[in-house]
Amino acid sequence: MRKEIEYLKARLKELLPVNIYKVWFSDVKAFVKENILNFVVPNEFAKSWLKENYGNLLQTLAQEMGYRGIDFIVSETPKAEQLILPYNPVELFGRKISPKYTFENFVVGKCNELAFKVCYRLFEEKPKGYFIYLYGNYGLGKTHLTQAVGNGLLAQGFDRVIYFTAQDFMSYLLKYLKAGQIESFKEKIRQACDLFLLDGIHFLAGKEFTQAELSFLIDHLLDQGKTVVFTSLSLPQQLRDIDSSLRSRLNASLLVRLNQPDFETRKRIIRFKAKKSGYKFPSEVVDYLARNLRGDIRQLESAVIGLIARASLLKEPITLELAKELLLEISSERTETQEIEIILEGVCKFFGVSREEVLSTSRKKNLVLARQALIYLLKNFAQKSLKEISAFVKKEHSTVIYHLKTFERRLQENRAFKMQIDFLLKELSQELPLRTEASHTEEELFEEGLEVK
Ligand code: ADP
Ligand code: MG
């Protein structure tokens, strides 16, 4: 069997990136029974993880070696540390992790490189006292990355991981509270983990009790030198209804942002997702999708899946035509937030400022101008109502109207400036192809029930 294992390892080494090989297969154990190649794995989790990610590859290699198929056997002599903390797949407390979220399945680009590196490091080094706050918009990979850390560690037999969505955390907390066992809840977490992952902390807005308990828990975990990772939609200071003591703790963490994917990364993600489903899209299709879908990664993913589904349903090849049809549908479903995000992104790039600055209250001249441009574009280009705009920029209606007026006056008075803004509009209209330009009237402003200053 040793020779066979050596052969298998050599083949895996050839086929996989070196770090992946090292982590997962350098000490692979297997035996043959009834012409089936059985892989010995440390726990149930590793089993489903390997099956999901390397099942096909291992199957092919087994056949190449003349075996009928493969299977995974959970080792009956677990390592010493597993004896102390047996992994029990039935017990889901803090463990709702999906095996599809792995580092291998994560496409790294400029937009998420730092977040990836930080998370990969957590996995490689094993937890040792980090406090990380991963933030960014919907669908940019926060859940994927945090679960990848958990997945990686669990599959290696490192069991001291707890992953909760903020919702689950809260419902568990309240359940234990109701049973009069809140201490045992906290104790359970403190005892069972070296790595505590909490996904979607913005959900805790206004949940004062949970926030307070969480603050205590963080203190305790960090005191004990454990690693804590939170994800969130926005920076701690931008979170709504979060108690100041929790906020100040969050602010002490390493803040890592996930950004919208750039064009090149979008292309890579599309190709990657297509390949995962066994397809290779023509490059014009990849280009077209990447150019027109500028939202989050979830959207890219569903476009790829949608296109494949459509093609196989119609028994047609994947063509530009088909992609265009699909996009027409997707664009009409495009959510309001994505539209606003695209405009915000465009304005930030154009004025060379950050989104935090634009949405801040700073009165710096270039920031005020960028803010005015944002308001103007939201109104005239995306046809948002004043109510929506003032909610988004967090300004009074009257202030929004004042900004609109000032900006329009500037456009009238300064031709060069108007040309620049027209250019920005043109760029945006390529990203939001279905939007037609429309300008607002004073009547419209009145219809909103507001006075024009
Ligand atoms: P978030 O938690 O930030 O809202 P998710 O982690 O749920 O986003 O990601 C949304 C979807 O996009 C998931 O299916 C995820 O696998 C996929 N995804 C996100 N980022 C990437 C990436 N860099 N490479 C591949 N897939 C990604
Ligand atoms: Mg998420």
Side-chain angles (χ1 to χ4, degrees):
M1 193 63 213
R2 242 180 79 195
K3 246 165 91 190
E4 282 86 351
I5 294 273
E6 286 314 313
Y7 175 80
L8 183 70
K9 280 167 71 169
R11 287 291 282 136
L12 286 165
K13 208 168 181 173
E14 259 169 36
L15 293 166
L16 296 168
V18 58
N19 57 338
I20 305 286
Y21 169 80
K22 261 214 295 238
V23 170
W24 307 113
F25 295 107
S26 58
D27 59 352
V28 61
K29 293 185 186 64
F31 64 89
V32 177
K33 197 175 161 191
E34 290 162 7
N35 209 22
I36 298 273
L37 185 57
N38 290 279
F39 291 91
V40 183
V41 294
N43 54 40
E44 283 296 331
F45 195 89
K47 181 171 158 176
S48 62
W49 192 90
L50 281 171
K51 241 189 198 161
E52 169 92 14
N53 294 286
Y54 296 108
N56 289 342
L57 175 65
L58 295 173
Q59 175 79 30
T60 312
L61 289 180
Q63 279 164 358
E64 187 179 301
M65 292 163 74
Y67 301 119
R68 198 154 51 84
I70 56 165
D71 202 354
F72 298 91
I73 308 294
V74 176
S75 153
E76 283 174 10
T77 48
K79 287 185 239 142
E81 75 254 37
Q82 285 172 294
L83 281 175
I84 305 163
L85 277 157
Y87 173 58
N88 178 357
V90 188
E91 168 64 68
L92 268 177
F93 178 82
R95 277 285 173 76
K96 259 196 227 158
I97 302 185
S98 154
K100 76 171 185 172
Y101 293 132
T102 61
F103 289 120
E104 291 82 357
N105 284 343
F106 192 84
V107 178
V108 185
K110 258 192 290 181
C111 57
N112 56 25
E113 195 180 4
L114 180 64
F116 178 86
K117 277 189 181 154
V118 166
C119 288
Y120 198 79
R121 184 108 172 244
L122 287 183
F123 154 70
E124 263 186 334
E125 287 190 358
K126 305 281 176 295
K128 50 177 180 196
Y130 297 111
F131 185 13
I132 289 158
Y133 184 95
L134 208 61
Y135 71 103
N137 241 312
Y138 287 111
L140 295 184
K142 300 182 293 296
T143 297
H144 189 135
L145 272 182
T146 36
Q147 293 208 9
V149 181
N151 263 323
L153 291 172
L154 287 169
Q156 286 197 330
F158 183 89
D159 271 5
R160 300 185 49 76
V161 177
I162 284 190
Y163 169 93
F164 273 123
T165 62
Q167 284 101 310
D168 279 353
F169 177 76
M170 189 178 84
S171 24
Y172 268 107
L173 186 74
L174 298 179
K175 208 168 88 186
Y176 277 77
L177 177 72
K178 226 163 148 183
Q181 294 177 348
I182 194 139
E183 276 313 311
S184 95
F185 173 73
K186 288 191 280 182
E187 189 56 24
K188 200 163 166 169
I189 293 181
R190 290 193 293 248
Q191 290 296 324
C193 83
D194 285 338
L195 173 64
F196 182 66
L197 306 160
L198 190 70
D199 195 6
I201 187 161
H202 50 269
F203 174 82
L204 298 182
K207 317 280 190 325
E208 285 165 24
F209 178 77
T210 308
Q211 287 179 27
E213 289 300 333
L214 183 61
S215 290
F216 291 134
L217 185 63
I218 300 174
D219 287 350
H220 188 96
L221 294 174
L222 293 176
D223 268 1
Q224 302 281 311
K226 306 196 167 180
T227 291
V228 175
V229 181
F230 286 164
T231 77
S232 168
L233 279 179
S234 53
L235 280 168
Q237 61 264 34
Q238 290 165 344
L239 285 173
R240 271 187 315 111
D241 296 329
I242 291 285
D243 174 74
S244 61
S245 67
L246 178 57
R247 196 190 301 276
S248 70
R249 282 174 177 85
L250 297 178
N251 265 322
S253 61
L254 173 66
L255 304 172
V256 182
R257 178 159 171 203
L258 279 158
N259 298 292
Q260 301 275 121
D262 50 277
F263 182 59
E264 282 309 315
T265 312
R266 292 200 295 274
K267 285 208 293 195
R268 298 224 319 278
I269 290 171
I270 292 165
R271 277 194 228 106
F272 180 84
K273 301 272 171 189
K275 198 169 154 208
K276 273 245 127 183
S277 308
Y279 280 77
K280 187 170 184 297
F281 287 3
S283 65
E284 51 179 8
V285 170
V286 176
D287 258 44
Y288 177 78
L289 291 177
R291 212 171 285 289
N292 288 281
L293 293 171
R294 300 216 151 191
D296 56 62
I297 294 171
R298 192 174 281 121
Q299 191 193 32
L300 294 178
E301 200 172 58
S302 56
V304 170
I305 294 168
L307 196 54
I308 290 174
R310 191 173 279 241
S312 58
L313 207 69
L314 300 172
K315 297 206 167 52
E316 278 180 19
I318 307 259
T319 58
L320 190 57
E321 274 305 293
L322 211 60
K324 283 185 175 165
E325 276 173 35
L326 177 90
L327 231 67
L328 264 179
E329 274 170 33
I330 291 186
S331 312
S332 57
E333 287 167 9
R334 194 175 254 163
T335 63
E336 305 279 295
T337 28
Q338 277 165 350
E339 231 168 46
I340 294 182
E341 283 302 322
I342 292 167
I343 292 175
L344 177 59
E345 193 191 319
V347 168
C348 288
K349 254 200 220 138
F350 189 80
F351 287 91
V353 296
S354 75
R355 53 181 289 135
E356 285 78 23
E357 287 172 324
V358 175
L359 297 175
S360 73
T361 50
S362 161
R363 288 173 185 269
K364 269 199 197 144
K365 217 168 146 196
N366 68 327
L367 294 184
V368 173
L369 198 59
R371 208 169 294 141
Q372 288 178 348
L374 174 67
I375 291 172
Y376 173 83
L377 291 169
L378 289 176
K379 180 74 190 133
N380 292 313
F381 184 68
Q383 293 146 32
K384 299 287 167 219
S385 69
L386 290 178
K387 204 168 153 198
E388 287 170 301
I389 297 173
S390 64
F392 184 69
V393 299
K394 299 196 191 73
K395 300 269 179 297
E396 300 275 327
H397 285 206
S398 54
T399 313
V400 169
I401 293 174
Y402 171 77
H403 279 322
L404 266 175
K405 291 274 143 194
T406 319
F407 194 77
E408 281 175 352
R409 202 173 318 124
R410 193 185 183 97
L411 286 179
Q412 274 169 10
E413 287 166 2
N414 187 337
R415 259 184 67 82
F417 185 65
K418 170 136 190 350
M419 273 165 68
Q420 288 178 350
I421 295 297
D422 282 347
F423 178 75
L424 172 60
L425 263 170
K426 219 165 108 199
E427 287 228 306
L428 284 174
S429 56
Q430 277 164 9
E431 297 178 30
L432 296 166
L434 292 182
R435 282 287 167 200
T436 48
E437 202 182 327
S439 78
H440 79 285
T441 60
E442 289 191 342
E443 287 90 273
E444 248 186 281
L445 293 183
F446 276 118
E447 266 171 27
E448 308 267 350
L450 288 156
E451 273 179 39
V452 179
K453 266 192 184 168

